Amino acid sequence: TDPDREGEAISWHVKELLKDAHLTEGRNVKRVTFNEITKKAVKEAFENARDLDTRLIESYMARRALDYLVGFNISPVLWRKLPGSRSAGRVQSVALRLICEREAEIEKFNPQEYWSIFAKLHTPDGAPFIARLMTLSGNKLDKMDIKSASEAKHAADRIRNKALSVQKIEKKQVRRNPYPPFITSSLQIESSRKLGMGAAQTMRTAQRLYEGIDIGGETVGLITYMRTDGVTLSDDAVSQTRSEIKRKFGDKYLPDSPRVYKSKAKNAQEAHEAIRPTDLSRHPDDVKRYLDEQQAALYELIWKRTMACQMESAVLDQVSADISDGTDDIVLRATGSVVAFDGFLTLYQEFEEDKAEDSDEGDKDRRLPPLAQGDRTKLIDIDQNQHFTQPPPRYSEASLVKKMEDLGIGRPSTYASIIQVLQDRKYVKLDKKRFIPEDRGRLVTSFLMKFFTKYVDYDFTANLEEELDAIAEGHVAWKEALRLFWTDFSRAVAGTKELRLTEVIDHLNEELGVHFFPPRADGGEPRKCPACNEGDLSLKLGKFGAFVGCSRYPDCRFTRPLIVEEGEDEETAKLANEPKILGNDPVTGREVSLRKGPYGPYVQIDAPPASEAPPDPEEEKAPAEDGKKKKKGKKKKPSAPKPKRQGLPKGMSAADVTLEKALELLALPREVGLHPQTGKMIKAGIGRFGPFLFHDGVYSSIPKDDDLMTIGINRAVVVIAEAAERRAKREAKRGGKSAAPPAKEKPEKKRAAEKNKKESAD
């Protein structure tokens, strides 16, 4: 099994099962681990079989128990106190907090104006270059010092009045070292940035490369185990890499000695090798024909990163020139760099994300023409560039993984699943490869931050990870660690039992009010109800979750949904909090309404008063059998009449439902006509699984192109015949025979059966 704590636990489970089946008696049972699925590695692993690592197993059990304790105890609190929530988790909720807090930063961000000044100059030989204004009136400029167009114009005019020349030149040589080989997080980060693959997709693809690909009739594992935070390479891998570098690039690209890397990540465990190809001589071009597009791209990324990590450093010649009139009144600086030796850059460059648009990094990458001290320069033009400070960017999958790794939250094997759970729970959505928290996610985070503050704290979660690692190293007893955690945690859970919904609502209104009721463009009161123009809007909690409602309810029934499910329109979402009254049935006077249930929107007509309700045949006593007297018993209390309901047919929008359409639906099932062969009535209706025809005790689905409200007798007969033919074919395929007609049922049983069928259809 896999060489990690989960793999160790699986091996332990297998051993226990074999032991229970008495299959290990008198046998020496050992554990085999390998980091790559190659013939050599597997043979060596069997030659070095070991006993199970009890400490790893205990660490696994502690991690699992912690996840269960948190998830199974906080989730029910959420369901009770914050309806509409899905779940909480030990690491999942902390990752959600990161995304929500970043969004709150963006919403609160107030952009500030600033300007940058660039001069376009020529050397005495007419070669163009660009210099940035760095000093004004003898003061070194900070990024925000020039705040307006008038200040920028004043600075530009000062430059125009100067006779500029090169006053000072600085040259220095810098070495840029290669990046370490991939670990799980860095692979997910670079795969996201360079290949556009999400964390889960990256791990699925890496799993296939690890398990093996058929190459020339032999299944070969192409990469080492992909769940690791170790940056070390085996001696054999280093030797193989250096040989390939020498063969492909020559001696000058090969350092004198192998490079050794040490992880900078918090809580990193160095037990496993980094992610690398199992055989560096398998060039990406050689294996491409055996792989699909994603596998080939990921393998090439891993191969290049592994090769680059053992290559010579790149050497860059950096030049900066200060240009002025000989005083400190105005100083311009031109910077640039030249790659003197490309080293590892010839093979691999890491992609940089979220670089600021006015960053100085771009200046350093420019090429400068030859310059000498004392050279007079000619001013060609001045660019005055307006900027506005930018809010921090939303997290991408890559930057979220990196942030979690930096904080020590989660483990390499969990990043992909955590990100997936947040999307599955509809707590966040991915838009243009960036995470945006849904309102549901923000409500959950705000609730947890208030009532379970400690358990979504970044340091607390990271310290738990350290404790789990300490258990794996044998420094901490796992049950004692769990006992200490449970003592405080159970107290926190118990403290929410008396928590009233009004407290929750008050907190959410205060904490998220600016988000749900942002300032209006016209300067009006953001919380003023748009329907009655008297009441105030606030968050409210309903059966299906939080929504916005008017303080004058029930006089004003204005509501606004916070959460619109996928494929749902806003009109339907509103129904979750307040039914829409369509009017009254002109015949009975009973109220007809449009509502939302677990299976979607439906129409309902109120139940008749108990005095007007027809007797339920189920309530009637069955006749006595064989002339026996009926036993006297307690008279059964008649059940209250229930309102009639009917789901909307597929394709009908809640916004299109009128009183007339609702009454048509409530009249279902409608009689289509008598079947010409059996003489029995065909009825059309809607059930839980869609529109149907009912004839002679059998249900047949109505095809999606037909309308159950208008389907006629001729079409209905065809649909029933086609359905019967399909059923007969299925029976024949199974080798069975069509069931014989049922024996004649007693009247009361037949009525009960028909009622059950009808309820099932409804």
Side-chain angles (χ1 to χ4, degrees):
T1 55
D2 284 353
D4 55 19
R5 74 181 91 202
E6 284 75 22
E8 201 73 18
I10 293 168
S11 283
W12 171 67
H13 282 300
V14 171
K15 184 181 177 183
E16 291 297 304
L17 287 169
L18 294 173
K19 186 177 171 184
D20 291 344
H22 307 290
L23 296 174
T24 60
E25 292 171 2
R27 298 187 180 186
N28 189 16
V29 181
K30 294 285 185 181
R31 162 93 160 112
V32 172
T33 59
F34 39 79
N35 199 47
E36 55 188 89
I37 304 177
T38 59
K39 187 174 182 179
K40 179 184 175 185
V42 173
K43 284 181 74 174
E44 284 181 2
F46 273 91
E47 288 165 6
N48 295 281
R50 61 169 173 79
D51 290 325
L52 284 166
D53 188 330
T54 305
R55 296 177 304 180
L56 267 185
I57 296 164
E58 289 177 349
S59 176
Y60 155 80
M61 291 195 290
R63 177 180 293 277
R64 183 184 63 169
L66 279 174
D67 290 343
Y68 284 173
L69 289 173
V70 173
F72 288 179
N73 284 279
I74 294 186
S75 295
V77 173
L78 278 175
W79 301 335
R80 290 193 303 271
K81 307 300 183 184
L82 193 63
S85 306
R86 302 289 171 84
S87 70
R90 184 177 65 86
V91 181
Q92 161 200 324
S93 298
V94 181
L96 177 61
R97 178 189 167 187
L98 277 171
I99 296 170
C100 291
E101 286 188 337
R102 176 59 58 88
E103 193 69 19
E105 284 181 65
I106 293 169
E107 288 176 349
K108 291 176 184 174
F109 184 80
N110 184 25
Q112 292 181 300
E113 181 183 7
Y114 68 99
W115 292 70
S116 60
I117 312 293
F118 287 91
K120 295 181 179 178
L121 303 164
H122 275 185
T123 66
D125 297 332
F129 66 100
I130 292 174
R132 181 173 186 152
L133 177 64
M134 302 297 290
T135 301
L136 180 64
S137 301
N139 298 315
K140 189 174 180 180
L141 289 174
D142 287 330
K143 178 179 174 180
M144 306 293 296
D145 281 352
I146 301 178
K147 296 182 170 63
S148 66
S150 60
E151 289 180 21
K153 183 179 182 301
H154 174 69
D157 291 342
R158 294 272 289 275
I159 296 171
R160 288 190 181 95
N161 294 326
K162 302 288 184 181
L164 301 172
S165 62
V166 178
Q167 301 296 324
K168 183 173 68 171
I169 291 180
E170 284 184 0
K171 293 182 180 180
K172 62 179 179 179
Q173 200 171 72
V174 295
R175 296 175 68 85
R176 189 181 294 178
N177 296 323
Y179 313 99
F182 278 134
I183 59 175
T184 305
S185 57
S186 58
L187 177 65
Q188 291 174 359
I189 290 166
E190 277 292 270
S191 176
S192 173
R193 291 170 173 173
K194 286 190 170 180
L195 308 179
M197 291 167 60
Q201 191 179 22
T202 297
M203 295 308 288
R204 282 195 301 271
T205 307
Q207 183 82 35
R208 288 290 299 118
L209 294 173
Y210 167 69
E211 289 177 353
I213 301 293
D214 191 335
I215 296 178
E218 181 185 1
T219 300
V220 179
L222 292 181
I223 64 169
T224 54
Y225 190 56
M226 61 281 154
R227 293 184 182 91
T228 175
D229 52 13
V231 290
T232 58
L233 295 176
S234 68
D235 292 341
D236 185 45
V238 171
S239 174
Q240 201 181 101
T241 306
R242 286 174 62 84
S243 296
E244 280 299 302
I245 292 169
K246 185 173 182 178
R247 186 176 70 83
K248 283 189 167 293
F249 300 97
D251 287 335
K252 67 177 182 176
Y253 286 89
L254 186 67
D256 293 336
S257 59
R259 293 186 179 276
V260 178
Y261 294 93
K262 188 166 179 61
S263 177
K264 295 179 183 177
K266 196 175 179 181
N267 297 341
Q269 294 179 316
E270 303 286 346
H272 299 146
E273 263 196 278
I275 305 166
R276 61 167 175 84
T278 55
D279 185 349
L280 270 296
S281 65
R282 288 196 189 94
H283 192 277
D285 291 339
D286 298 334
V287 298
K288 188 182 290 186
R289 63 182 182 275
Y290 302 109
L291 308 175
D292 64 30
E293 188 177 341
Q294 290 179 344
Q295 291 167 354
L298 193 63
Y299 179 76
E300 183 177 14
L301 193 69
I302 294 168
W303 186 89
K304 285 184 174 181
R305 178 81 165 223
T306 308
M307 288 281 287
C309 83
Q310 291 299 321
M311 292 177 76
E312 189 58 87
S313 301
V315 179
L316 291 84
D317 289 331
Q318 287 188 349
V319 180
S320 66
D322 284 357
I323 299 150
S324 73
D325 63 350
T327 70
D328 289 338
D329 185 45
I330 290 286
V331 178
L332 302 163
R333 178 166 296 164
T335 58
S337 63
V338 176
V339 177
F341 173 62
D342 56 4
F344 77 94
L345 293 176
T346 192
L347 185 63
Y348 189 90
Q349 292 193 50
E350 193 166 86
F351 182 87
E352 291 189 44
E353 189 177 42
D354 300 334
K355 189 186 283 186
E357 62 169 298
D358 60 330
S359 168
D360 291 338
E361 295 299 313
D363 299 347
K364 291 177 183 175
D365 292 338
R366 291 195 187 102
R367 296 288 296 270
L368 283 181
L371 292 170
Q373 191 168 335
D375 281 353
R376 295 185 66 81
T377 60
K378 183 180 180 182
L379 181 63
I380 305 301
D381 196 8
I382 296 176
D383 284 339
Q384 302 166 51
N385 301 315
Q386 183 186 35
H387 308 277
F388 290 93
T389 52
Q390 298 296 311
R394 292 186 175 113
Y395 285 110
S396 64
E397 285 204 29
S399 56
L400 181 62
V401 166
K402 189 171 190 316
K403 184 66 175 178
M404 290 171 68
E405 182 188 37
D406 291 344
L407 292 172
I409 295 168
R411 303 301 298 157
S413 57
T414 62
Y415 294 142
S417 59
I418 289 164
I419 289 170
Q420 192 60 51
V421 165
L422 292 179
Q423 294 177 83
D424 291 344
R425 297 285 185 272
K426 301 291 192 296
Y427 285 161
V428 301
K429 65 180 178 183
L430 204 54
D431 182 48
K432 296 177 182 174
K433 298 188 178 180
R434 298 282 173 166
F435 286 113
I436 302 175
E438 299 276 25
D439 286 342
R440 179 186 281 130
R442 297 188 72 150
L443 290 166
V444 167
T445 294
S446 182
F447 178 89
L448 295 177
M449 287 286 292
K450 172 69 175 176
F451 302 107
F452 290 93
T453 311
K454 178 179 178 180
Y455 302 98
V456 288
D457 179 73
Y458 299 134
D459 289 338
F460 177 79
T461 308
N463 291 338
L464 269 183
E465 294 290 353
E466 288 180 353
E467 220 167 284
L468 290 167
D469 292 338
I471 293 169
E473 292 163 11
H475 302 319
V476 177
W478 73 284
K479 290 184 180 178
E480 177 63 15
L482 286 177
R483 188 186 67 77
L484 291 172
F485 173 83
W486 178 248
T487 302
D488 288 340
F489 181 68
S490 59
R491 197 179 296 124
V493 173
T496 63
K497 286 183 179 175
E498 304 303 318
L499 183 63
R500 293 175 299 165
L501 287 180
T502 52
E503 290 180 67
V504 176
I505 284 293
D506 289 346
H507 167 70
L508 295 177
N509 262 315
E510 182 180 349
E511 187 73 17
L512 298 174
V514 177
H515 169 67
F516 291 119
F517 311 105
R520 287 167 47 173
D522 60 4
E525 172 54 48
R527 289 183 181 257
K528 185 66 68 180
C529 176
C532 66
N533 211 29
E534 293 180 29
D536 291 327
L537 299 180
S538 67
L539 287 176
K540 297 181 181 295
L541 286 176
K543 182 179 177 182
F544 295 97
F547 64 98
V548 172
C550 180
S551 59
R552 292 185 64 247
Y553 178 86
D555 295 329
C556 176
R557 292 178 174 266
F558 174 82
T559 62
R560 186 177 77 225
L562 293 184
I563 299 156
V564 179
E565 301 291 352
E566 192 175 348
E568 186 179 72
D569 55 47
E570 190 168 323
E571 191 68 30
T572 303
K574 282 183 182 179
L575 299 174
N577 313 308
E578 183 73 26
K580 181 180 179 181
I581 308 304
L582 299 172
N584 294 83
D585 179 3
V587 177
T588 64
R590 285 183 274 152
E591 189 175 80
V592 179
S593 57
L594 177 63
R595 299 165 181 260
K596 182 184 174 185
Y599 304 108
Y602 64 90
V603 290
Q604 173 180 301
I605 185 168
D606 286 353
S611 57
E612 296 177 19
D616 188 337
E618 291 294 303
E619 303 285 339
E620 296 176 7
K621 292 282 183 181
E625 295 179 22
D626 301 327
K628 291 180 183 177
K629 274 190 173 183
K630 295 179 185 176
K631 288 184 180 179
K632 287 186 180 180
K634 199 172 182 182
K635 192 173 181 183
K636 192 176 179 182
K637 189 178 179 182
S639 57
K642 296 178 181 178
K644 185 172 182 181
R645 297 170 176 171
Q646 180 61 64
L648 303 192
K650 196 172 181 181
M652 181 179 282
S653 167
D656 297 333
V657 179
T658 61
L659 176 62
E660 292 71 24
K661 284 186 179 178
L663 291 171
E664 282 181 20
L665 290 170
L666 289 164
L668 294 174
R670 71 180 184 87
E671 293 185 345
V672 179
L674 299 176
H675 195 288
Q677 293 177 356
T678 64
K680 295 181 178 179
M681 180 59 69
I682 300 172
K683 293 184 178 181
I686 307 176
R688 181 175 164 187
F689 303 106
F692 64 84
L693 292 171
F694 181 69
H695 167 252
D696 199 15
V698 178
Y699 292 90
S700 302
S701 295
I702 295 177
K704 60 181 181 181
D705 294 332
D706 291 297
D707 182 359
L708 88 139
M709 305 302 290
T710 59
I711 191 169
I713 185 65
N714 293 337
R715 177 60 183 154
V717 170
V718 172
V719 170
I720 290 168
E722 288 174 347
E725 190 178 338
R726 286 194 298 273
R727 283 193 293 271
K729 284 181 180 177
R730 284 198 298 270
E731 282 293 327
K733 195 172 181 181
R734 286 197 295 263
K737 294 180 180 178
S738 298
K744 193 171 183 181
E745 295 173 313
K746 291 182 179 180
E748 66 272 19
K749 288 187 177 179
K750 187 174 180 181
R751 280 197 299 270
E754 285 179 351
K755 184 180 180 187
N756 286 339
K757 283 180 182 176
K758 182 177 182 299
E759 286 178 347
S760 174
D762 289 343

